Amino acid sequence: MTDETATTDPTGTARPVATTALTATALTATALTATVVRLKLSLLRNGLRQSAGRRTAFVTSAVLALLVALLQLLGLLALRGHAHAEAVAVPATAVTALGWAVLPLFFPSGDETLDPTRLVLLPLRPRPLVRALLAASLVGIGPLFTLLVLAGCVLAVAHGAAGYAFSVVAVVLALLVCVALARAVAAANVRLLTSRRGRDLAVLSGLVIAIGAQLANFGAQRLGSAGLGQLEPAADVLSWVPPASAVGAVHAASEGSYGVAVAQLTLAVGALAALIAVWARSLTRLMTSPDGSTLQCADVGARERSSTGLGRLLPGGRTGAVMERALRYVWRDPKTKAAWVTSLAIGLIVPVFNAVQGTGSIYFACFAAGMLGIQMYNQFGQDTSAFWMVALTISTPRDAYAELRGRALALLAITLPYAALVTVLTTALLGDWPRLPEVLGLSLALLGAMLATGAWTSARFPYSIPQEGHKNVAPGQAGLAWISVFGGMVAAALLCSPVITLTIWLNVSADGDAWTWVLLPTGAAYGATITWTSLRLAAPRTASRLPEILAAVSKG
């Protein structure tokens, strides 16, 4: 975080202007603000100089963001004079503020100035630094996007001289609250964001986007069928919650309720003052408290554990050890955790949301088993280069079978109760209890087919998963990934076809409804059989292809 322009100190040593300015003890608040703003601009300029690809990505994202903001602005302006304009403008402001509060937790590296620990060695007081960082935070695509959205929100509800007068104050105040909220959240969680758990949050950002998209789709469908009046109760509450209260103040002033408008605007001012106070306190703590990494552990031996409760619940021998290792990966490895949590969430959202909307089928419950069954694919690639330690313990097909069996059992420990829970929940929402046995049996057969094909493709088409960044396939291995996952899914559908055919036959037969319960034991037995058979067939191939597997999963 230095500017390229340099000055010369009395000793003749060249120093960057930013360093000279920030280390001056008599630095005024105005000069500090100007310097930090220049630092923010320097960061943007120097980042764009690194590569043409980075410049292209920045320009593309800026154009798309501004295009979306302009479309939202036009849409909000189209609501002027509409009876439910406030019902849209107030929640839109609240959602925008929520985005400012959440995004720093998932994308801490998006703005390097979000990390105040970079300034802890400089002789700066928290209060002037807060003002300087607040001004620097207004520079960028995000603040401009927010400014356009907030302008649309206030203009949608403003009319009359008083309404427009309050609009000017409301836009500025709401923007400052959003920025201060993001800064306060980032400063309060900076230790978390720079730790391993912070990187876990960044990896899980895709899950938040997926769930948010499903919620937005669900809300849009509800609004399309019931109208904007559905938002009125929420808007009435949010109009007293900052910064949405600033937009509520514009609407109140436009209606002549000046006392209510002043009260709502005062709430926004109070929220801004409180956020700045929390932000300043967090900066003070960061600048005066030592980092945990600099403190010596008082008793290292006390932290060591010889065994865990999980280990005692698992079977003994190699099977239990493999299961415990696989389950620990699910909990500790960011990429594995992200894949599992995403599958768990989507496997629940798709059947449940469709059932709530009344447009779903009970067979959507099989989506849970299918999503979790995908986790069986590329088992060795999930270990990355650490697979060499596992490979050292595999010398015979028997060892390979024990390894694959332990991994499959670890997956079943989570998937079986989860698939049963989603199936029962979907059945309850639809009220179609007679079909519960057949759907549960079909889910078990599908899960067995996914495990069977996953074990085979793990040995035949392994590929590496990069640990850094958001890529899930190493360069040059995209073809292997497509063959492994999508080819395996097609094979699983073919393997599951006998149970699917039996399900269709029983449903179209005249007296088939009386025998649909047979699908539950049939599906369970069929899934277990094809899983056991596949593990037996994949074990010799795994043992014979260990060098190729190790080379494939160690790339990237």
Side-chain angles (χ1 to χ4, degrees):
M1 294 177 58
T2 59
D3 202 313
E4 294 183 347
T5 307
T7 60
T8 304
D9 63 8
T11 63
T13 304
R15 296 183 182 276
V17 170
T19 305
T20 304
L22 289 177
T23 55
T25 57
L27 189 64
T28 64
T30 303
L32 176 61
T33 301
T35 301
V36 174
V37 171
R38 289 200 305 271
L39 283 174
K40 178 64 174 289
L41 294 173
S42 296
L43 283 172
L44 292 174
R45 183 178 64 251
N46 295 337
L48 296 178
R49 289 177 176 175
Q50 291 183 2
S51 65
R54 187 161 184 171
R55 288 192 296 272
T56 302
F58 178 84
V59 172
T60 303
S61 61
V63 170
L64 291 177
L66 293 179
L67 180 61
V68 172
L70 289 174
L71 291 175
Q72 289 184 346
L73 175 61
L74 294 176
L76 290 167
L77 290 177
L79 290 175
R80 284 181 57 83
H82 195 279
H84 301 296
E86 183 196 14
V88 176
V90 172
T93 305
V95 171
T96 302
L98 180 63
W100 276 90
V102 173
L103 288 181
L105 296 176
F106 296 110
F107 303 99
S109 60
D111 185 356
E112 293 176 315
T113 61
L114 281 175
D115 187 1
T117 58
R118 297 170 180 264
L119 307 174
V120 295
L121 297 180
L122 300 176
L124 301 173
R125 294 185 179 277
R127 290 290 178 180
L129 183 59
V130 164
R131 289 193 292 269
L133 290 176
L134 184 61
S137 300
L138 298 175
V139 178
I141 302 174
L144 181 57
F145 176 91
T146 305
L147 179 63
L148 293 175
V149 173
L150 293 175
C153 290
V154 298
L155 291 176
V157 299
H159 57 270
Y164 288 115
F166 270 82
S167 296
V168 176
V169 180
V171 169
V172 175
L173 193 56
L175 179 60
L176 291 176
V177 170
C178 289
V179 174
L181 178 61
R183 288 291 187 171
V185 171
N189 297 276
V190 66
R191 302 297 189 197
L192 169 66
L193 298 178
T194 55
S195 66
R196 179 180 63 84
R197 294 193 179 275
R199 293 190 293 272
D200 290 355
L201 286 174
V203 172
L204 292 175
S205 59
L207 171 62
V208 176
I209 295 174
I211 295 177
Q214 290 290 338
L215 292 175
N217 179 53
F218 178 66
Q221 291 183 1
R222 291 292 299 271
L223 290 177
S225 59
L228 296 177
Q230 292 279 325
L231 295 175
E232 289 287 354
D236 292 339
V237 175
L238 293 174
S239 63
W240 292 95
V241 178
S245 61
V247 179
V250 175
H251 180 264
S254 300
E255 298 295 327
S257 303
Y258 301 114
V260 174
V262 171
Q264 290 174 325
L265 209 59
T266 303
L267 281 176
V269 173
L272 178 60
L275 288 171
I276 291 177
V278 172
W279 184 9
R281 175 177 291 185
S282 299
L283 285 177
T284 303
R285 185 174 65 251
L286 289 171
M287 291 181 171
T288 57
S289 302
D291 189 357
S293 61
T294 64
L295 302 177
Q296 293 183 355
C297 182
D299 186 7
V300 177
R303 296 168 61 97
E304 296 179 353
R305 296 173 294 177
S306 58
S307 180
T308 63
L310 175 63
R312 289 191 291 269
L313 294 175
L314 299 176
R318 176 165 186 150
T319 299
V322 173
M323 290 181 65
E324 184 171 4
R325 176 184 2 110
L327 294 174
R328 284 184 182 275
Y329 277 173
V330 173
W331 180 250
R332 293 184 177 182
D333 181 64
K335 284 292 183 72
T336 306
K337 180 189 295 186
W340 270 93
V341 174
T342 302
S343 297
L344 288 169
I346 297 179
L348 177 66
I349 287 173
V350 171
V352 169
F353 271 47
N354 281 279
V356 170
Q357 296 177 45
T359 59
S361 167
I362 192 173
Y363 294 103
F364 280 3
C366 298
F367 207 85
M371 287 299 299
L372 293 188
I374 295 176
Q375 304 306 315
M376 188 63 187
Y377 292 85
N378 195 35
Q379 277 290 309
F380 306 128
Q382 297 175 19
D383 297 351
T384 64
S385 58
F387 178 69
W388 71 270
M389 292 185 291
V390 177
L392 291 176
T393 66
I394 299 177
S395 57
T396 63
R398 181 185 180 88
D399 296 333
Y401 172 74
E403 179 71 25
L404 290 171
R405 181 181 60 187
R407 293 173 184 253
L409 289 175
L411 190 145
L412 287 172
I414 301 175
T415 306
L416 281 178
Y418 177 78
L421 176 63
V422 172
T423 304
V424 171
L425 181 59
T426 306
T427 304
L429 291 174
L430 295 174
D432 197 1
W433 291 104
R435 294 188 181 276
L436 176 61
E438 65 176 283
V439 175
L440 189 55
L442 191 59
S443 294
L444 295 177
L446 175 61
L447 178 59
M450 298 289 284
L451 292 176
T453 56
W456 178 262
T457 58
S458 293
R460 185 63 183 86
F461 304 107
Y463 57 92
S464 178
I465 301 177
Q467 291 299 294
E468 299 296 332
H470 295 273
K471 293 182 178 180
N472 291 320
V473 182
Q477 294 186 327
L480 284 174
W482 278 89
I483 295 174
S484 176
V485 178
F486 292 99
M489 292 172 65
V490 172
L494 294 176
L495 280 177
C496 199
S497 58
V499 180
I500 297 176
T501 302
L502 179 61
T503 304
I504 297 174
W505 181 75
L506 289 176
N507 278 275
V508 299
S509 299
D511 56 346
D513 290 341
W515 294 94
T516 54
W517 63 268
V518 177
L519 289 168
L520 178 55
T522 301
Y526 182 77
T529 301
I530 59 177
T531 299
W532 177 82
T533 303
S534 177
L535 293 177
R536 285 292 185 186
L537 295 176
R541 179 171 290 274
T542 301
S544 63
R545 298 189 73 250
L546 277 179
E548 292 87 348
I549 296 175
L550 183 59
V553 302
S554 300
K555 290 183 178 180

mmCIF file of all heavy atoms in Angstrom, residues 494-529:
data_model
loop_
_atom_site.group_PDB
_atom_site.id
_atom_site.type_symbol
_atom_site.label_atom_id
_atom_site.label_comp_id
_atom_site.label_asym_id
_atom_site.label_seq_id
_atom_site.Cartn_x
_atom_site.Cartn_y
_atom_site.Cartn_z
ATOM 1 N N LEU A 494 -28.269 -45.799 -15.703
ATOM 2 C CA LEU A 494 -28.469 -47.101 -16.341
ATOM 3 C C LEU A 494 -28.519 -48.216 -15.307
ATOM 4 O O LEU A 494 -29.337 -49.148 -15.413
ATOM 5 C CB LEU A 494 -27.354 -47.360 -17.355
ATOM 6 C CG LEU A 494 -27.334 -46.418 -18.567
ATOM 7 C CD1 LEU A 494 -26.119 -46.716 -19.442
ATOM 8 C CD2 LEU A 494 -28.622 -46.550 -19.374
ATOM 9 N N LEU A 495 -27.635 -48.138 -14.297
ATOM 10 C CA LEU A 495 -27.647 -49.156 -13.250
ATOM 11 C C LEU A 495 -28.947 -49.139 -12.458
ATOM 12 O O LEU A 495 -29.434 -50.176 -12.003
ATOM 13 C CB LEU A 495 -26.463 -48.940 -12.299
ATOM 14 C CG LEU A 495 -25.100 -49.450 -12.738
ATOM 15 C CD1 LEU A 495 -24.033 -49.085 -11.705
ATOM 16 C CD2 LEU A 495 -25.127 -50.961 -12.942
ATOM 17 N N CYS A 496 -29.507 -47.956 -12.301
ATOM 18 C CA CYS A 496 -30.724 -47.818 -11.512
ATOM 19 C C CYS A 496 -31.983 -48.124 -12.327
ATOM 20 O O CYS A 496 -33.085 -48.164 -11.781
ATOM 21 C CB CYS A 496 -30.805 -46.391 -10.962
ATOM 22 S SG CYS A 496 -31.924 -46.182 -9.569
ATOM 23 N N SER A 497 -31.824 -48.354 -13.614
ATOM 24 C CA SER A 497 -32.985 -48.541 -14.487
ATOM 25 C C SER A 497 -33.874 -49.724 -14.103
ATOM 26 O O SER A 497 -35.105 -49.638 -14.273
ATOM 27 C CB SER A 497 -32.526 -48.681 -15.943
ATOM 28 O OG SER A 497 -31.622 -49.769 -16.083
ATOM 29 N N PRO A 498 -33.344 -50.856 -13.592
ATOM 30 C CA PRO A 498 -34.272 -51.932 -13.200
ATOM 31 C C PRO A 498 -35.263 -51.506 -12.125
ATOM 32 O O PRO A 498 -36.458 -51.834 -12.217
ATOM 33 C CB PRO A 498 -33.333 -53.038 -12.702
ATOM 34 C CG PRO A 498 -32.046 -52.787 -13.409
ATOM 35 C CD PRO A 498 -31.936 -51.307 -13.511
ATOM 36 N N VAL A 499 -34.793 -50.762 -11.128
ATOM 37 C CA VAL A 499 -35.701 -50.309 -10.062
ATOM 38 C C VAL A 499 -36.658 -49.253 -10.606
ATOM 39 O O VAL A 499 -37.842 -49.215 -10.233
ATOM 40 C CB VAL A 499 -34.897 -49.776 -8.871
ATOM 41 C CG1 VAL A 499 -35.829 -49.304 -7.749
ATOM 42 C CG2 VAL A 499 -33.959 -50.847 -8.341
ATOM 43 N N ILE A 500 -36.159 -48.382 -11.489
ATOM 44 C CA ILE A 500 -37.036 -47.377 -12.099
ATOM 45 C C ILE A 500 -38.129 -48.053 -12.925
ATOM 46 O O ILE A 500 -39.307 -47.667 -12.875
ATOM 47 C CB ILE A 500 -36.216 -46.403 -12.971
ATOM 48 C CG1 ILE A 500 -35.222 -45.619 -12.094
ATOM 49 C CG2 ILE A 500 -37.125 -45.455 -13.720
ATOM 50 C CD1 ILE A 500 -34.301 -44.713 -12.882
ATOM 51 N N THR A 501 -37.741 -49.068 -13.683
ATOM 52 C CA THR A 501 -38.722 -49.799 -14.492
ATOM 53 C C THR A 501 -39.772 -50.475 -13.622
ATOM 54 O O THR A 501 -40.979 -50.437 -13.927
ATOM 55 C CB THR A 501 -37.997 -50.856 -15.353
ATOM 56 O OG1 THR A 501 -37.021 -50.206 -16.178
ATOM 57 C CG2 THR A 501 -38.984 -51.613 -16.219
ATOM 58 N N LEU A 502 -39.322 -51.081 -12.518
ATOM 59 C CA LEU A 502 -40.274 -51.716 -11.600
ATOM 60 C C LEU A 502 -41.226 -50.691 -10.990
ATOM 61 O O LEU A 502 -42.428 -50.957 -10.834
ATOM 62 C CB LEU A 502 -39.508 -52.450 -10.501
ATOM 63 C CG LEU A 502 -40.351 -53.147 -9.431
ATOM 64 C CD1 LEU A 502 -41.248 -54.215 -10.059
ATOM 65 C CD2 LEU A 502 -39.460 -53.756 -8.352
ATOM 66 N N THR A 503 -40.701 -49.503 -10.662
ATOM 67 C CA THR A 503 -41.548 -48.446 -10.105
ATOM 68 C C THR A 503 -42.627 -48.014 -11.097
ATOM 69 O O THR A 503 -43.806 -47.869 -10.739
ATOM 70 C CB THR A 503 -40.688 -47.236 -9.714
ATOM 71 O OG1 THR A 503 -39.671 -47.643 -8.795
ATOM 72 C CG2 THR A 503 -41.538 -46.143 -9.092
ATOM 73 N N ILE A 504 -42.224 -47.816 -12.341
ATOM 74 C CA ILE A 504 -43.194 -47.413 -13.364
ATOM 75 C C ILE A 504 -44.244 -48.499 -13.587
ATOM 76 O O ILE A 504 -45.443 -48.220 -13.700
ATOM 77 C CB ILE A 504 -42.463 -47.084 -14.681
ATOM 78 C CG1 ILE A 504 -41.529 -45.874 -14.470
ATOM 79 C CG2 ILE A 504 -43.458 -46.808 -15.799
ATOM 80 C CD1 ILE A 504 -40.659 -45.577 -15.678
ATOM 81 N N TRP A 505 -43.803 -49.732 -13.628
ATOM 82 C CA TRP A 505 -44.729 -50.851 -13.881
ATOM 83 C C TRP A 505 -45.774 -50.977 -12.771
ATOM 84 O O TRP A 505 -46.959 -51.180 -13.031
ATOM 85 C CB TRP A 505 -43.949 -52.146 -14.028
ATOM 86 C CG TRP A 505 -44.828 -53.333 -14.312
ATOM 87 C CD1 TRP A 505 -45.446 -53.649 -15.494
ATOM 88 C CD2 TRP A 505 -45.203 -54.345 -13.375
ATOM 89 N NE1 TRP A 505 -46.183 -54.798 -15.354
ATOM 90 C CE2 TRP A 505 -46.052 -55.263 -14.068
ATOM 91 C CE3 TRP A 505 -44.906 -54.582 -12.032
ATOM 92 C CZ2 TRP A 505 -46.600 -56.369 -13.436
ATOM 93 C CZ3 TRP A 505 -45.449 -55.692 -11.416
ATOM 94 C CH2 TRP A 505 -46.289 -56.571 -12.115
ATOM 95 N N LEU A 506 -45.305 -50.823 -11.504
ATOM 96 C CA LEU A 506 -46.247 -50.928 -10.383
ATOM 97 C C LEU A 506 -47.238 -49.772 -10.370
ATOM 98 O O LEU A 506 -48.382 -49.925 -9.929
ATOM 99 C CB LEU A 506 -45.485 -50.982 -9.056
ATOM 100 C CG LEU A 506 -44.712 -52.273 -8.779
ATOM 101 C CD1 LEU A 506 -43.931 -52.148 -7.480
ATOM 102 C CD2 LEU A 506 -45.669 -53.470 -8.711
ATOM 103 N N ASN A 507 -46.820 -48.600 -10.849
ATOM 104 C CA ASN A 507 -47.703 -47.441 -10.829
ATOM 105 C C ASN A 507 -48.725 -47.466 -11.956
ATOM 106 O O ASN A 507 -49.799 -46.858 -11.839
ATOM 107 C CB ASN A 507 -46.889 -46.150 -10.898
ATOM 108 C CG ASN A 507 -46.339 -45.737 -9.548
ATOM 109 O OD1 ASN A 507 -47.006 -45.082 -8.751
ATOM 110 N ND2 ASN A 507 -45.094 -46.129 -9.269
ATOM 111 N N VAL A 508 -48.399 -48.140 -13.049
ATOM 112 C CA VAL A 508 -49.355 -48.195 -14.164
ATOM 113 C C VAL A 508 -50.226 -49.444 -14.114
ATOM 114 O O VAL A 508 -51.239 -49.513 -14.818
ATOM 115 C CB VAL A 508 -48.609 -48.128 -15.520
ATOM 116 C CG1 VAL A 508 -47.840 -46.827 -15.648
ATOM 117 C CG2 VAL A 508 -47.697 -49.327 -15.712
ATOM 118 N N SER A 509 -49.839 -50.405 -13.301
ATOM 119 C CA SER A 509 -50.635 -51.628 -13.206
ATOM 120 C C SER A 509 -51.932 -51.357 -12.451
ATOM 121 O O SER A 509 -52.011 -50.474 -11.590
ATOM 122 C CB SER A 509 -49.848 -52.733 -12.504
ATOM 123 O OG SER A 509 -48.679 -53.048 -13.241
ATOM 124 N N ALA A 510 -52.911 -52.147 -12.738
ATOM 125 C CA ALA A 510 -54.217 -51.946 -12.112
ATOM 126 C C ALA A 510 -54.157 -52.176 -10.604
ATOM 127 O O ALA A 510 -54.733 -51.428 -9.820
ATOM 128 C CB ALA A 510 -55.251 -52.879 -12.763
ATOM 129 N N ASP A 511 -53.485 -53.252 -10.188
ATOM 130 C CA ASP A 511 -53.394 -53.559 -8.768
ATOM 131 C C ASP A 511 -51.977 -53.338 -8.231
ATOM 132 O O ASP A 511 -51.592 -53.917 -7.213
ATOM 133 C CB ASP A 511 -53.814 -55.003 -8.519
ATOM 134 C CG ASP A 511 -52.983 -55.986 -9.347
ATOM 135 O OD1 ASP A 511 -52.284 -55.519 -10.282
ATOM 136 O OD2 ASP A 511 -53.034 -57.192 -9.059
ATOM 137 N N GLY A 512 -51.203 -52.473 -8.915
ATOM 138 C CA GLY A 512 -49.822 -52.267 -8.502
ATOM 139 C C GLY A 512 -49.668 -51.451 -7.235
ATOM 140 O O GLY A 512 -48.668 -51.582 -6.515
ATOM 141 N N ASP A 513 -50.663 -50.610 -6.913
ATOM 142 C CA ASP A 513 -50.541 -49.780 -5.709
ATOM 143 C C ASP A 513 -50.434 -50.623 -4.446
ATOM 144 O O ASP A 513 -49.840 -50.182 -3.448
ATOM 145 C CB ASP A 513 -51.748 -48.846 -5.600
ATOM 146 C CG ASP A 513 -51.730 -47.762 -6.674
ATOM 147 O OD1 ASP A 513 -50.638 -47.529 -7.240
ATOM 148 O OD2 ASP A 513 -52.795 -47.165 -6.944
ATOM 149 N N ALA A 514 -50.991 -51.799 -4.464
ATOM 150 C CA ALA A 514 -50.929 -52.655 -3.269
ATOM 151 C C ALA A 514 -49.560 -53.271 -3.069
ATOM 152 O O ALA A 514 -49.272 -53.816 -1.988
ATOM 153 C CB ALA A 514 -51.981 -53.759 -3.379
ATOM 154 N N TRP A 515 -48.702 -53.182 -4.089
ATOM 155 C CA TRP A 515 -47.378 -53.807 -3.991
ATOM 156 C C TRP A 515 -46.225 -52.798 -4.054
ATOM 157 O O TRP A 515 -45.071 -53.189 -4.150
ATOM 158 C CB TRP A 515 -47.200 -54.822 -5.118
ATOM 159 C CG TRP A 515 -48.121 -55.999 -4.997
ATOM 160 C CD1 TRP A 515 -49.329 -56.160 -5.581
ATOM 161 C CD2 TRP A 515 -47.889 -57.158 -4.200
ATOM 162 N NE1 TRP A 515 -49.888 -57.351 -5.230
ATOM 163 C CE2 TRP A 515 -49.015 -57.997 -4.369
ATOM 164 C CE3 TRP A 515 -46.849 -57.583 -3.369
ATOM 165 C CZ2 TRP A 515 -49.135 -59.234 -3.732
ATOM 166 C CZ3 TRP A 515 -46.966 -58.815 -2.743
ATOM 167 C CH2 TRP A 515 -48.091 -59.618 -2.930
ATOM 168 N N THR A 516 -46.530 -51.519 -4.008
ATOM 169 C CA THR A 516 -45.454 -50.526 -4.089
ATOM 170 C C THR A 516 -44.526 -50.578 -2.876
ATOM 171 O O THR A 516 -43.370 -50.142 -2.971
ATOM 172 C CB THR A 516 -46.037 -49.108 -4.210
ATOM 173 O OG1 THR A 516 -46.963 -48.876 -3.145
ATOM 174 C CG2 THR A 516 -46.742 -48.929 -5.547
ATOM 175 N N TRP A 517 -44.991 -51.112 -1.746
ATOM 176 C CA TRP A 517 -44.130 -51.217 -0.562
ATOM 177 C C TRP A 517 -42.925 -52.121 -0.829
ATOM 178 O O TRP A 517 -41.901 -52.006 -0.143
ATOM 179 C CB TRP A 517 -44.933 -51.769 0.617
ATOM 180 C CG TRP A 517 -45.455 -53.163 0.390
ATOM 181 C CD1 TRP A 517 -46.651 -53.525 -0.128
ATOM 182 C CD2 TRP A 517 -44.763 -54.388 0.671
ATOM 183 N NE1 TRP A 517 -46.766 -54.895 -0.206
ATOM 184 C CE2 TRP A 517 -45.632 -55.449 0.294
ATOM 185 C CE3 TRP A 517 -43.517 -54.705 1.207
ATOM 186 C CZ2 TRP A 517 -45.274 -56.781 0.424
ATOM 187 C CZ3 TRP A 517 -43.160 -56.037 1.353
ATOM 188 C CH2 TRP A 517 -44.028 -57.063 0.964
ATOM 189 N N VAL A 518 -43.045 -52.999 -1.826
ATOM 190 C CA VAL A 518 -41.946 -53.909 -2.151
ATOM 191 C C VAL A 518 -40.723 -53.135 -2.632
ATOM 192 O O VAL A 518 -39.585 -53.616 -2.525
ATOM 193 C CB VAL A 518 -42.414 -54.926 -3.221
ATOM 194 C CG1 VAL A 518 -41.281 -55.838 -3.652
ATOM 195 C CG2 VAL A 518 -43.592 -55.729 -2.703
ATOM 196 N N LEU A 519 -40.940 -51.934 -3.152
ATOM 197 C CA LEU A 519 -39.821 -51.158 -3.681
ATOM 198 C C LEU A 519 -38.836 -50.753 -2.595
ATOM 199 O O LEU A 519 -37.654 -50.541 -2.883
ATOM 200 C CB LEU A 519 -40.351 -49.912 -4.397
ATOM 201 C CG LEU A 519 -41.053 -50.169 -5.728
ATOM 202 C CD1 LEU A 519 -41.777 -48.921 -6.199
ATOM 203 C CD2 LEU A 519 -40.033 -50.619 -6.764
ATOM 204 N N LEU A 520 -39.275 -50.631 -1.354
ATOM 205 C CA LEU A 520 -38.349 -50.239 -0.283
ATOM 206 C C LEU A 520 -37.299 -51.313 -0.022
ATOM 207 O O LEU A 520 -36.093 -51.035 -0.108
ATOM 208 C CB LEU A 520 -39.129 -49.910 0.986
ATOM 209 C CG LEU A 520 -38.291 -49.533 2.214
ATOM 210 C CD1 LEU A 520 -37.355 -48.369 1.895
ATOM 211 C CD2 LEU A 520 -39.193 -49.186 3.403
ATOM 212 N N PRO A 521 -37.673 -52.563 0.286
ATOM 213 C CA PRO A 521 -36.622 -53.573 0.460
ATOM 214 C C PRO A 521 -35.892 -53.890 -0.836
ATOM 215 O O PRO A 521 -34.688 -54.192 -0.824
ATOM 216 C CB PRO A 521 -37.384 -54.795 0.992
ATOM 217 C CG PRO A 521 -38.793 -54.593 0.571
ATOM 218 C CD PRO A 521 -39.016 -53.116 0.581
ATOM 219 N N THR A 522 -36.617 -53.821 -1.955
ATOM 220 C CA THR A 522 -35.959 -54.109 -3.233
ATOM 221 C C THR A 522 -34.885 -53.071 -3.544
ATOM 222 O O THR A 522 -33.764 -53.407 -3.951
ATOM 223 C CB THR A 522 -36.992 -54.139 -4.367
ATOM 224 O OG1 THR A 522 -37.974 -55.142 -4.073
ATOM 225 C CG2 THR A 522 -36.322 -54.444 -5.693
ATOM 226 N N GLY A 523 -35.228 -51.801 -3.375
ATOM 227 C CA GLY A 523 -34.254 -50.732 -3.638
ATOM 228 C C GLY A 523 -33.066 -50.801 -2.708
ATOM 229 O O GLY A 523 -31.918 -50.611 -3.128
ATOM 230 N N ALA A 524 -33.318 -51.089 -1.415
ATOM 231 C CA ALA A 524 -32.215 -51.187 -0.461
ATOM 232 C C ALA A 524 -31.296 -52.360 -0.798
ATOM 233 O O ALA A 524 -30.061 -52.222 -0.793
ATOM 234 C CB ALA A 524 -32.770 -51.327 0.954
ATOM 235 N N ALA A 525 -31.873 -53.507 -1.096
ATOM 236 C CA ALA A 525 -31.064 -54.683 -1.428
ATOM 237 C C ALA A 525 -30.312 -54.480 -2.734
ATOM 238 O O ALA A 525 -29.128 -54.845 -2.845
ATOM 239 C CB ALA A 525 -31.956 -55.920 -1.504
ATOM 240 N N TYR A 526 -30.975 -53.908 -3.717
ATOM 241 C CA TYR A 526 -30.325 -53.699 -5.013
ATOM 242 C C TYR A 526 -29.179 -52.700 -4.882
ATOM 243 O O TYR A 526 -28.084 -52.922 -5.434
ATOM 244 C CB TYR A 526 -31.349 -53.188 -6.016
ATOM 245 C CG TYR A 526 -30.786 -52.978 -7.405
ATOM 246 C CD1 TYR A 526 -30.549 -54.049 -8.257
ATOM 247 C CD2 TYR A 526 -30.474 -51.694 -7.859
ATOM 248 C CE1 TYR A 526 -30.026 -53.865 -9.527
ATOM 249 C CE2 TYR A 526 -29.948 -51.494 -9.126
ATOM 250 C CZ TYR A 526 -29.722 -52.583 -9.951
ATOM 251 O OH TYR A 526 -29.202 -52.387 -11.204
ATOM 252 N N GLY A 527 -29.398 -51.592 -4.154
ATOM 253 C CA GLY A 527 -28.335 -50.611 -3.969
ATOM 254 C C GLY A 527 -27.138 -51.183 -3.245
ATOM 255 O O GLY A 527 -25.989 -50.936 -3.614
ATOM 256 N N ALA A 528 -27.392 -51.988 -2.187
ATOM 257 C CA ALA A 528 -26.282 -52.593 -1.447
ATOM 258 C C ALA A 528 -25.522 -53.593 -2.321
ATOM 259 O O ALA A 528 -24.284 -53.673 -2.250
ATOM 260 C CB ALA A 528 -26.824 -53.281 -0.196
ATOM 261 N N THR A 529 -26.242 -54.340 -3.137
ATOM 262 C CA THR A 529 -25.586 -55.351 -3.972
ATOM 263 C C THR A 529 -24.669 -54.732 -5.015
ATOM 264 O O THR A 529 -23.525 -55.156 -5.189
ATOM 265 C CB THR A 529 -26.649 -56.232 -4.664
ATOM 266 O OG1 THR A 529 -27.458 -56.863 -3.667
ATOM 267 C CG2 THR A 529 -25.997 -57.300 -5.521
#
